[in-house]
Amino acid sequence: GSTTSGPNACKYITDIDNAVVTYSCSGDIIVGCVAEIICKDGFVIYTNTTTVPNKKYNCTDMKEWKDTTTGVTLDENEAKGFCQLPTTTPTPFKGSTTSGPNACKYITDIDNAVVTYSCSGDIIVGCVAEIICKDGFVIYTNTTTVPNKKYNCTDMKEWKDTTTGVTLDENEAKGFCQLPTTTPTPFTGST
């Protein structure tokens, strides 16, 4: 029965160019926490066989970040340059036949947040976008506060909330992530 208060088991991963890093834990980074390095739009990570938009690392009891797929220990100096612009014509992922225009538009200009996508390149029907508030910011729902929200790209070319089915209003979404207050302003349509 270890109590995981006190210093972090692993250090935060910082200074990764052209990427954001998200964590499965909040506050202290404890053993078992997963960090995900997510390349910004248009950047990819080269593996020895393919390119990927992100990589996940697990915090071990040796206070090291290990690649969840390969078990290789993260070298932060090397990781700084992980996310690169594709150099030649990239090879599409196996099974992708997604040429043509995006079904949904990229979600942009969300204050105090990053947006990640389950698809890479063109946004196709079924792709999930996640609006993730920066540390300390939250999204108010009618009953609680949440650190993020997921939206599904529909065949109507709209982003629908995966929980409530409400269509995303990008003007309203711009202000989704707020600092916690004592008297929150719930979004329109919430009771």
Side-chain angles (χ1 to χ4, degrees):
S2 76
T3 57
T4 52
S5 61
N8 292 350
C10 293
K11 292 190 177 76
Y12 279 95
I13 300 169
T14 55
D15 298 326
I16 309 290
D17 297 335
N18 306 306
V20 295
V21 182
T22 63
Y23 299 91
S24 65
C25 53
S26 60
D28 283 343
I29 296 178
I30 57 174
V31 172
C33 182
V34 175
E36 184 171 13
I37 298 174
I38 303 167
C39 294
K40 290 189 177 159
D41 196 30
F43 290 84
V44 293
I45 298 172
Y46 282 92
T47 71
N48 47 4
T49 53
T50 184
T51 59
V52 293
N54 56 10
K55 261 185 167 303
K56 289 185 177 176
Y57 291 87
N58 190 37
C59 176
T60 72
D61 52 8
M62 299 299 289
K63 297 191 177 196
E64 294 175 326
W65 290 109
K66 294 252 190 218
D67 187 310
T68 57
T69 309
T70 65
V72 173
T73 301
L74 177 69
D75 173 339
E76 282 213 47
N77 294 330
E78 186 184 81
K80 182 171 171 40
F82 264 5
C83 294
Q84 304 171 30
L85 284 169
T87 49
T88 57
T89 317
T91 320
F93 293 113
K94 268 190 254 188
S96 82
T97 55
T98 55
S99 59
N102 291 349
C104 293
K105 291 190 179 76
Y106 280 96
I107 300 169
T108 54
D109 299 326
I110 309 292
D111 296 337
N112 306 306
V114 295
V115 183
T116 63
Y117 299 91
S118 65
C119 53
S120 61
D122 285 341
I123 296 179
I124 57 173
V125 173
C127 183
V128 175
E130 185 172 11
I131 298 173
I132 304 168
C133 294
K134 291 190 176 152
D135 208 24
F137 289 83
V138 294
I139 299 172
Y140 282 94
T141 70
N142 46 0
T143 53
T144 185
T145 60
V146 292
N148 55 15
K149 263 185 167 302
K150 290 185 177 176
Y151 292 87
N152 191 36
C153 176
T154 71
D155 52 9
M156 300 300 288
K157 297 191 177 196
E158 293 176 325
W159 289 109
K160 293 253 191 218
D161 187 308
T162 56
T163 310
T164 65
V166 173
T167 301
L168 177 69
D169 174 340
E170 282 213 46
N171 294 329
E172 188 181 81
K174 180 172 173 36
F176 263 6
C177 294
Q178 303 173 29
L179 284 169
T181 60
T182 44
T183 51
T185 330
F187 293 114
T188 47
S190 68
T191 50

